[in-house]
């Protein structure tokens, strides 16, 4: 009885407000136009990204040593990062993988305890680890929290590609200038590039005439250097059902410096041993570590992490602005990885949203056998968009793949309210009531089922909006959009 009296009071109050609204139609139209404009402004100001960063329970420490570093050098720093990880009770397992993809690179996996056993997220821990990793001299170590939608584990949110047909030396100068401009913006963290032209290399020039006089072929010289410095499998033997490779190689202490090559000997004419130093000339040069191409043109990729207050969409706008200022003729830009996925998904939102409105309109036109009634029903969509974007704004959410799914779902949920009112209003008009009276009665009589179904949907979406644990960051985005839009 109490709920019935409350519902009756709500219906009476609604009836009076409805009568006032129907008497001031232009005010209502102005409110709807203002809502549509507000939705557009909110849409432009809301931060955009591909997907919210989820707490996946692991942090990857990516290690990049100086070009020319040895495996032992990389291992020493990997062990230092392991010791740093042991200072945090949130990590219960630590695993290192060094020498991949080059001997100067590696990864340390810091596996966190389950969500319910810790009070901090991996993102918060990673922000605390970043300065400690940066203080390690001799390497570049970056804490990475893996992306949410299955991209590569080492993938970083920013992957900006500079493409040209110019030389790599000129491309390197442009990249350095680009990095200098990015360094002025604190939102870009740990900016790096894959174009490095400073890898040390030893060139060995063979005196072919002298080698021929000594009876030493170039092939023998190359095989000797390969065997003594790099190692070579010379045979295999079996023992207890297992097969073992026999590798010949100089002990590590005798192959740690370029001068050690002078201590090697090759066999010449008459079985005489000839010092390699008398046949070759050594010189140290600098070469690129790797030369990449993108779209069959020379390229350099700039990667970076982002601070919490800089969204991916805003970051790409900043980088496009820098590119337009400093890029010489013949240079273009492109995107890769997460940045490319974000750009593609953002471009398709408007198309998918328009298609969803068109699909709903066509279904309603067939149901009502009218092209006007569906337009009336769908006029409530701008009001719901305003509520959805406000909820997203106040909850700290972003416009991403998940919130876009929520917005498209919301269109279908909201049109249900208009269907209930318009259908009943048409039935009353068929009974002889005039248009205005039919609208009043239909709206008041349909208020209760609309409130009931809306309340049920809001309560059903609240567990999404208030979710915790694994994947909560993504579910919250959908939840708040639906809750805000329906309210």
């Amino acid at each position: 009885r109490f709920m019935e009296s409350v519902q009756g009071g709500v219906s009476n109050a609604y009836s009076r407000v409805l009568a006032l609204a129907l008497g001031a139609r232009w005010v209502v139209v102005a409110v709807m136009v203002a809502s549509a404009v507000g939705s557009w402004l909110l849409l432009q100001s809301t931060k955009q990204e591909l997907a919210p960063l989820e707490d996946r329970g692991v942090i990857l420490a990516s290690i990049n040593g100086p070009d020319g570093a040895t495996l032992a050098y990389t291992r020493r720093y990997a062990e230092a990062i392991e010791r740093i990880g042991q200072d945090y009770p949130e990590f219960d397992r630590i695993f290192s993988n060094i020498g991949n993809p080059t001997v100067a690179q590696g990864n340390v996996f810091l596996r966190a305890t389950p969500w319910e056993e810790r009070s901090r997220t991996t993102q918060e821990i990673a922000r605390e680890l970043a300065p400690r990793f940066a203080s390690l001299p001799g390497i570049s170590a970056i804490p990475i929290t893996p992306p949410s939608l299955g991209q590569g584990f080492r993938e970083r949110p920013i992957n900006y590609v500079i493409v040209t047909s110019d030389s790599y030396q000129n491309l390197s100068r442009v990249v350095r200038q680009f990095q200098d401009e990015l360094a002025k913006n604190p939102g870009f963290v740990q900016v790096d590039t894959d174009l490095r032209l400073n890898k040390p290399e030893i060139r060995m020039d063979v005196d072919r005439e002298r080698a021929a006089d000594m009876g030493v072929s170039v092939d023998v010289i190359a095989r000797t250097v390969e065997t003594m410095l790099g190692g070579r499998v010379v045979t295999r033997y079996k023992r207890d059902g297992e097969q073992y490779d026999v590798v010949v190689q100089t002990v590590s202490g005798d192959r740690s410096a370029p001068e050690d090559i002078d201590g090697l000997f090759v066999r010449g004419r008459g079985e005489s041993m000839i010092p390699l130093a008398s046949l070759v000339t050594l010189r140290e040069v600098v070469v690129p570590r790797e030369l990449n191409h993108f779209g069959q043109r020379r390229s350099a990729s700039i990667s970076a992490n982002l601070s919490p207050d800089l969204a991916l969409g805003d970051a790409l706008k900043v980088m496009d602005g820098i590119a337009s200022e400093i890029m010489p003729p013949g240079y273009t830009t492109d995107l890769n990885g997460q940045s490319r996925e974000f750009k593609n998904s953002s471009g398709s939102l408007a198309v998918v949203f328009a298609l969803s409105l068109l699909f709903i309109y066509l279904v309603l036109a067939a149901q009502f056998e009218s092209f006007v009634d569906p337009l009336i029903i769908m006029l409530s969509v701008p009001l719901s968009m305003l509520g959805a974007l406000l909820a997203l704004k106040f909850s700290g959410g972003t416009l991403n793949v998940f919130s876009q799914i929520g917005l498209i779902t919301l269109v279908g949920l909201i049109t249900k309210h208009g269907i209930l009112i318009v259908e009943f209003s048409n039935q009353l008009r068929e009974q002889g009531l005039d248009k205005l009276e039919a609208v009043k009665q239909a709206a008041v009589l349909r208020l209760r089922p609309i409130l009931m179904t809306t309340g049920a949907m809001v309560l059903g979406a609240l567990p999404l909006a208030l979710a915790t644990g694994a994947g909560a960051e993504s579910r919250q985005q959908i939840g708040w959009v639906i809750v805000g839009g329906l309210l």
Side-chain angles (χ1 to χ4, degrees), residues 201-272:
E201 184 176 272
I202 296 177
R203 292 277 174 88
M204 181 183 294
D205 298 320
V206 180
D207 188 339
R208 293 176 179 267
E209 293 183 2
R210 186 176 180 83
D213 292 341
M214 298 287 186
V216 180
S217 67
V218 176
D219 178 67
V220 170
I221 295 174
R223 182 61 61 89
T224 300
V225 174
E226 174 199 358
T227 302
M228 304 303 285
L229 301 183
R232 184 163 61 93
V233 177
V234 293
T235 187
R236 296 180 177 87
Y237 80 96
K238 293 183 179 180
R239 180 178 179 181
D240 299 332
E242 297 288 340
Q243 180 171 281
Y244 300 90
D245 292 335
V246 179
V247 180
V248 175
Q249 187 181 54
T250 307
V251 294
S252 59
D254 293 336
R255 51 182 172 88
S256 58
E259 294 76 19
D260 294 331
I261 298 177
D262 296 338
L264 301 179
F265 287 79
V266 293
R267 193 175 300 277
R269 186 179 292 110
E271 299 297 316
S272 60

Side-chain angles (χ1 to χ4, degrees), residues 36-116:
V37 173
S39 298
W40 174 255
L41 294 176
L42 278 173
L43 196 63
Q44 297 301 309
S45 62
T46 301
K47 293 182 178 180
Q48 301 183 32
E49 60 183 351
L50 177 61
L53 200 57
E54 296 175 351
D55 183 346
R56 301 186 65 183
V58 66
I59 294 176
L60 169 69
S62 177
I63 304 172
N64 279 285
D67 292 318
T70 63
L71 201 62
Y73 183 95
T74 308
R75 177 177 179 173
R76 185 167 70 250
Y77 282 101
E79 291 172 347
I81 291 176
E82 287 180 0
R83 289 191 292 271
I84 292 176
Q86 290 169 358
D87 295 339
Y88 293 82
E90 289 88 355
F91 299 131
D92 61 353
R93 281 164 289 175
I94 300 176
F95 171 75
S96 296
N97 173 23
I98 61 172
N100 181 33
T102 67
V103 293
Q105 295 175 282
N107 302 297
V108 179
F109 297 86
L110 306 169
R111 182 72 185 182
T113 55
W115 294 267
E116 62 273 8

Side-chain angles (χ1 to χ4, degrees), residues 236-316:
R236 296 180 177 87
Y237 80 96
K238 293 183 179 180
R239 180 178 179 181
D240 299 332
E242 297 288 340
Q243 180 171 281
Y244 300 90
D245 292 335
V246 179
V247 180
V248 175
Q249 187 181 54
T250 307
V251 294
S252 59
D254 293 336
R255 51 182 172 88
S256 58
E259 294 76 19
D260 294 331
I261 298 177
D262 296 338
L264 301 179
F265 287 79
V266 293
R267 193 175 300 277
R269 186 179 292 110
E271 299 297 316
S272 60
M273 301 303 294
I274 302 170
L276 193 62
S278 64
L279 302 177
V280 300
T281 303
L282 303 180
R283 56 191 176 94
E284 294 189 27
V285 297
V286 176
V287 297
R289 186 177 70 179
E290 56 187 22
L291 297 175
N292 294 308
H293 290 74
F294 192 91
Q296 299 182 347
R297 299 175 67 193
R298 294 167 180 167
S299 70
S301 296
I302 298 175
S303 60
N305 290 332
L306 299 176
S307 63
D309 56 347
L310 183 62
L312 179 56
D314 298 331
L316 293 179

Side-chain angles (χ1 to χ4, degrees), residues 300-410:
S301 296
I302 298 175
S303 60
N305 290 332
L306 299 176
S307 63
D309 56 347
L310 183 62
L312 179 56
D314 298 331
L316 293 179
K317 290 179 182 177
V318 171
M319 298 185 80
D320 287 338
I322 295 175
S324 63
E325 292 177 3
I326 70 170
M327 289 291 182
Y331 285 73
T332 59
T333 63
D334 210 326
L335 300 174
N336 204 1
Q338 287 189 57
S339 301
R340 192 180 188 89
E341 292 291 336
F342 163 76
K343 205 70 174 180
N344 292 338
S345 66
S346 301
S348 62
L349 172 62
V351 176
V352 174
F353 199 78
L355 287 175
S356 66
L357 290 175
L358 177 63
F359 181 75
I360 292 173
Y361 175 81
L362 293 176
V363 172
L364 292 177
Q367 177 182 341
F368 284 92
E369 297 181 350
S370 168
F371 291 111
V372 177
D373 288 350
L375 292 176
I376 299 172
I377 292 170
M378 296 174 67
L379 282 175
S380 56
V381 172
L383 295 172
S384 66
M385 291 296 109
L386 180 64
L389 293 172
L390 281 174
L392 205 59
K393 194 90 168 178
F394 291 138
S395 64
T398 60
L399 195 63
N400 54 68
V401 171
F402 296 100
S403 54
Q404 290 171 15
I405 291 173
L407 289 173
I408 294 170
T409 305
L410 187 62

